[in-house]
Amino acid sequence: MCKLLLGQTLSFSGDPFARPVDEVAHHENRGGVVIDGGKIVDVGPADAMRAAHPDAQVTDHGQALISAGFVDAHVHYPQTAIIASWGKRLIDWLNSYTFPEEMRFSDPAYAAEAARSYFDLTLANGTTTVCSFCTIHPESVDAFFAEAQARGLRVAGGKTCMDRNAPEGLRDTAQSGYDDSKALLGKWHGVDRLTYAITPRFSPTSTPEQLEAMGALWAEHPDCLMQTHLSEQTDEVAWVAELFPQARDYLDTYEQFGLLGEGGLYGHAIHLTDRERAQLKEVGASLIHCPTSNTFIGSGLFDMDGLTKEGQRIGLATDTGGGSSFSMLRTMAAAYEIGQLRGRPLHPAELWWLATAGSARALRMEDRIGTLAPGMEADLSVIDLASTPAITQRAARAETIWEAIFPTIMMGDDRAIRQVYAGGRACLG
Ligand code: GUN
Ligand code: ZN
């Protein structure tokens, strides 16, 4: 039987960085979303939806906002337990906190428990799709996909490959990285709602041989995503230049080995040269902005204004556990703050679009998730725009939907998430 969800509705039919907000954003103060068989079949004013679908089972979410579920385009689910670890910059942070924790994922029971805990947290925060790095252990990939599959989620992920500059026990080889990734991809890619992402961690932890093997695997499976990190901190960029003396720049260490292309997801992408920007744009690669991570680890200020004006494809992400929150609301707030530090206040519509349709586009899933429209999969978040006293008193003065939403963007957290639907099924409560 089909369901009719009532509330305020917000969705986008285009990119608010490229077109006027009023043209691309669609808000109904009293709207309805009809879902059937895991898909959205109708969206419109509540009265019209009731009239067109008289047999639908109605759930009234009152004044809460029904949106596409949040899409978190770059995360490390194995870092859940080390989120908010104090005092280190990138390379020391990896060595001190991250690698010791990732070592534990050779144990399938540990990995399974971590995946459970991670998806509990993301769903509680209104996030319905993530694209995750796992660890070098195939068990960590199995745990991730099995848990997402059991919950009916659309996710992407892959085995993180590293064959140097990582501790004993956390290194594979060029050949085993290729073989394990290929086997995992064969097992999970395209099963239910799961997408495999070929995952060389970043150039410092892969030999040229491993990067070449990853490039070969992607060429054999071009419908997979490929995810990695790019130009996050200046020390890291300098290290890459030492490790790859022949490379023109950081991006070239991927480009040379077939790891630059459409479907390539490049996390952080802060300290880019003009050549790198031009190449990324040329192929239609995705740059993933991780604002809470970039401030927490002290990486730098992403050039949202310049990169969107160039027409780059950009997604938004928590980068947990380098990022300091599981919440895409908090992540939007951090993106706003970084925009302010660079002199470009992002509009609430731009922030919301980045967290939903923009990230879906970055993951090449925009025809399935990220917007409320007939034919899209029914992954939705229901958000209370008056979830705390501080937010309520500010939102009470709002005269537009954007003024009503912005206090929740800046001050909201998991308390604002009333319900989440994944493939049409309610996940909370
Ligand atoms: N660069 C390489 N690995 C990582 C990681 O796990 N987190 C972040 N933030 N940057 C990285
Ligand atoms: Zn990352």
Side-chain angles (χ1 to χ4, degrees):
M1 182 161 85
C2 75
K3 290 186 210 164
L4 169 58
L5 312 182
L6 301 177
Q8 298 193 59
T9 53
L10 177 66
S11 194
F12 296 89
S13 57
D15 173 355
F17 287 95
R19 291 174 48 203
V21 167
D22 291 348
E23 277 176 29
V24 297
H26 307 284
H27 171 249
E28 288 287 348
N29 201 36
R30 192 68 186 149
V33 180
V34 182
I35 57 187
D36 196 8
K39 294 244 172 105
I40 296 172
V41 295
D42 212 352
V43 183
D47 290 345
M49 294 300 100
R50 275 186 193 277
H53 305 275
D55 299 332
Q57 179 194 343
V58 176
T59 304
D60 192 343
H61 289 293
Q63 272 303 100
L65 183 75
I66 305 175
S67 162
F70 297 133
V71 179
D72 190 345
H74 178 122
V75 311
H76 299 256
Y77 96 83
Q79 296 170 14
T80 299
I82 57 127
I83 193 168
S85 290
W86 185 85
K88 306 282 185 192
R89 291 173 65 85
L90 179 59
I91 305 304
D92 285 347
W93 176 83
L94 284 172
N95 287 316
S96 307
Y97 299 122
T98 308
F99 290 160
E101 178 62 17
E102 291 192 10
M103 208 91 83
R104 304 174 75 168
F105 284 71
S106 60
D107 173 1
Y110 189 83
E113 182 50 39
R116 256 196 304 281
S117 152
Y118 176 71
F119 284 117
D120 283 348
L121 287 162
T122 50
L123 286 168
N125 278 284
T127 299
T128 45
T129 288
V130 302
C131 181
S132 186
F133 289 64
C134 300
T135 68
I136 70 148
H137 314 97
E139 294 84 352
S140 74
V141 182
D142 287 338
F144 173 76
F145 280 131
E147 188 63 32
Q149 184 182 38
R151 295 178 190 233
L153 302 176
R154 178 167 291 292
V155 300
K159 170 191 139 74
T160 296
C161 296
M162 300 198 274
D163 68 343
R164 64 167 162 175
N165 293 318
E168 180 69 37
L170 212 54
R171 289 193 305 268
D172 49 19
T173 66
Q175 189 64 47
S176 74
Y178 173 92
D179 292 342
D180 288 348
S181 300
K182 193 178 174 74
L184 289 163
L185 179 169
K187 182 170 176 185
W188 295 108
H189 183 60
V191 175
D192 293 338
R193 306 182 74 198
L194 313 176
T195 294
Y196 196 83
I198 295 164
T199 307
R201 180 175 214 121
F202 68 154
S203 294
T205 48
S206 288
T207 58
E209 293 71 30
Q210 179 162 76
L211 294 172
E212 189 174 10
M214 295 285 107
L217 184 60
W218 197 19
E220 290 161 32
H221 301 277
D223 56 324
C224 286
L225 297 169
M226 190 292 299
Q227 62 178 345
T228 188
H229 297 86
L230 175 67
S231 296
E232 180 176 0
Q233 292 209 338
T234 50
D235 292 358
E236 171 209 10
V237 177
W239 191 24
V240 169
E242 267 172 46
L243 290 168
F244 296 84
Q246 259 82 54
R248 288 170 289 183
D249 45 44
Y250 195 153
L251 185 66
D252 200 29
T253 64
Y254 300 130
E255 197 174 343
Q256 277 176 36
F257 298 111
L259 292 169
L260 173 63
E262 211 186 333
L265 312 171
Y266 303 86
H268 305 285
I270 299 169
H271 308 285
L272 299 176
T273 65
D274 289 347
R275 193 201 79 84
E276 291 175 308
R277 291 166 76 128
Q279 288 303 106
L280 289 159
K281 170 71 174 71
E282 167 93 18
V283 304
S286 297
L287 311 187
I288 311 299
H289 181 29
C290 306
T292 71
S293 170
N294 296 163
T295 52
F296 182 77
I297 312 187
S299 302
L301 306 179
F302 185 82
D303 181 14
M304 184 66 82
D305 191 50
L307 292 163
T308 50
K309 281 187 177 136
E310 284 167 23
Q312 302 275 7
R313 190 181 290 249
I314 294 171
L316 187 65
T318 60
D319 187 34
T320 48
S324 53
S325 175
F326 295 93
S327 168
M328 289 299 281
L329 293 170
R330 173 72 198 105
T331 303
M332 287 184 242
Y336 179 80
E337 289 161 352
I338 288 177
Q340 284 288 57
L341 289 168
R342 294 200 65 131
R344 165 69 158 85
L346 299 174
H347 191 281
E350 293 174 325
L351 294 165
W352 207 272
W353 179 85
L354 280 170
T356 54
S359 280
R361 188 183 69 165
L363 298 182
R364 296 255 171 343
M365 296 177 180
E366 71 271 27
D367 55 341
R368 297 171 175 199
I369 57 167
T371 39
L372 299 185
M376 303 292 283
E377 294 169 354
D379 287 358
L380 313 170
S381 288
V382 182
I383 295 137
D384 181 355
L385 297 180
S387 61
T388 69
I391 294 172
T392 303
Q393 62 88 35
R394 178 63 187 90
R397 294 193 175 194
E399 291 181 0
T400 67
I401 178 62
W402 307 120
E403 282 184 51
I405 283 182
F406 195 56
T408 288
I409 290 178
M410 293 310 300
M411 297 189 279
D413 54 30
D414 53 346
R415 288 170 291 179
I417 309 303
R418 282 261 196 90
Q419 187 51 283
V420 176
Y421 295 88
R425 283 216 313 262
C427 301
L428 304 182

